[in-house]
Amino acid sequence: MSKMFWYRLLFRFELYKADSMAFQSLVNSVFEGLYDDFQAIAPWGRKGDGGNDGYIRSTGHYLQVYGPKAGSAWSPAVAAKKAREDFKKLMSQWTDIRRYSFVLNDRFQGVPAPVEQSLQKIYSENEVNTDAITCAKLTDKFVKLEDHYKIEIVGGIPSGQPEFIDKRAMGELLEHLADKSVDLLSGSKGLAPDFEKKIDFNGLSEQVGARLR
């Protein structure tokens, strides 16, 4: 099994369990590894971050990051409102805004229509390029990083890899993680009933099994 497969898989695990500041930290790590002039912004004072969670100076590309809790029934309407309101803050407090990206932890479900419609409206009214950066796009960026950045983010890939892994079983596992509550993802020992059987079936080593657990 290729290194690329493992890196993508482990990064997906990180995205599934990340929310709020953990998700923003992942986003920052990816962008800092890709762009020398990326600057993460921390909230300060009453004005917070002014709608700017980080930006690439040379291209005027600004990010607003939104990571709803894992397993929560988050509202696309709330996310769309946040995209609009944070852009207004951005316009009033920052300069040279050429691109605005709403980075969303959609857990590979896709961009909800209200969010995309808000971004389209921002573009039509302000002539600033807009887009949503989803988990799929963020993963594509992650795999372009040099290996030492990847290792810092996901902890490296397992050693003693099996020759064959059932990708369908891996997909089922990912869906299971996406559907579980944040409590499970943040430390519960609860597992899918046939989890151990799948580990045995795929011939995974104990080290890899421990990583998946």
Side-chain angles (χ1 to χ4, degrees):
M1 195 60 66
S2 70
K3 288 172 59 177
M4 186 66 70
F5 168 81
W6 279 108
Y7 276 128
R8 293 184 73 94
L9 180 67
L10 295 175
F11 188 65
R12 285 174 71 106
F13 283 151
E14 294 298 322
L15 289 172
Y16 273 122
K17 69 183 181 182
D19 52 48
S20 188
M21 295 306 297
F23 179 60
Q24 184 164 334
S25 179
L26 281 177
V27 173
N28 290 346
S29 295
V30 171
F31 274 79
E32 285 168 353
L34 285 177
Y35 307 100
D36 291 337
D37 61 341
F38 175 77
Q39 178 61 61
I41 302 296
W44 183 83
R46 291 189 299 173
K47 292 186 177 181
D49 56 23
N52 176 16
D53 283 327
Y55 73 117
I56 304 170
R57 290 191 182 97
S58 60
T59 59
H61 182 188
Y62 288 77
L63 308 180
Q64 180 54 232
V65 180
Y66 184 59
K69 287 186 177 181
S72 66
W74 61 279
S75 168
V78 171
K81 181 179 179 182
K82 178 175 176 59
R84 292 193 304 271
E85 292 181 347
D86 284 330
F87 181 78
K88 290 179 181 178
K89 294 177 185 177
L90 196 66
M91 291 292 285
S92 66
Q93 298 185 42
W94 296 88
T95 60
D96 190 29
I97 302 166
R98 286 175 269 167
R99 179 180 172 188
Y100 172 65
S101 291
F102 192 68
V103 189
L104 172 67
N105 191 345
D106 66 316
R107 295 182 174 83
F108 299 92
Q109 299 299 306
V111 182
V115 173
E116 185 66 18
Q117 289 165 352
S118 286
L119 294 173
Q120 285 188 352
K121 188 173 183 180
I122 290 170
Y123 170 73
S124 65
E125 293 178 350
N126 299 274
E127 296 186 353
V128 171
N129 290 324
T130 61
D131 66 333
I133 297 178
T134 58
C135 287
K137 290 183 179 179
L138 198 60
T139 302
D140 288 340
K141 290 182 178 294
F142 165 78
V143 297
K144 294 177 182 177
L145 294 171
E146 296 180 14
D147 280 357
H148 68 277
Y149 286 117
K150 295 191 189 85
I151 292 170
E152 288 178 7
I153 293 172
V154 301
I157 60 177
S159 60
Q161 300 175 26
E163 295 182 0
F164 172 75
I165 293 178
D166 186 345
K167 293 184 179 180
R168 290 174 299 176
M170 286 295 187
E172 292 173 9
L173 174 60
L174 288 170
E175 290 179 6
H176 171 72
L177 290 175
D179 291 339
K180 286 299 178 182
S181 68
V182 67
D183 291 336
L184 171 59
L185 294 174
S186 61
S188 169
K189 295 182 179 179
L191 298 170
D194 56 348
F195 186 86
E196 297 296 337
K197 292 180 181 179
K198 288 182 178 179
I199 289 178
D200 292 337
F201 174 80
N202 286 285
L204 301 180
S205 68
E206 179 57 31
Q207 183 178 4
V208 176
R211 180 74 178 179
L212 293 176
R213 292 186 193 95

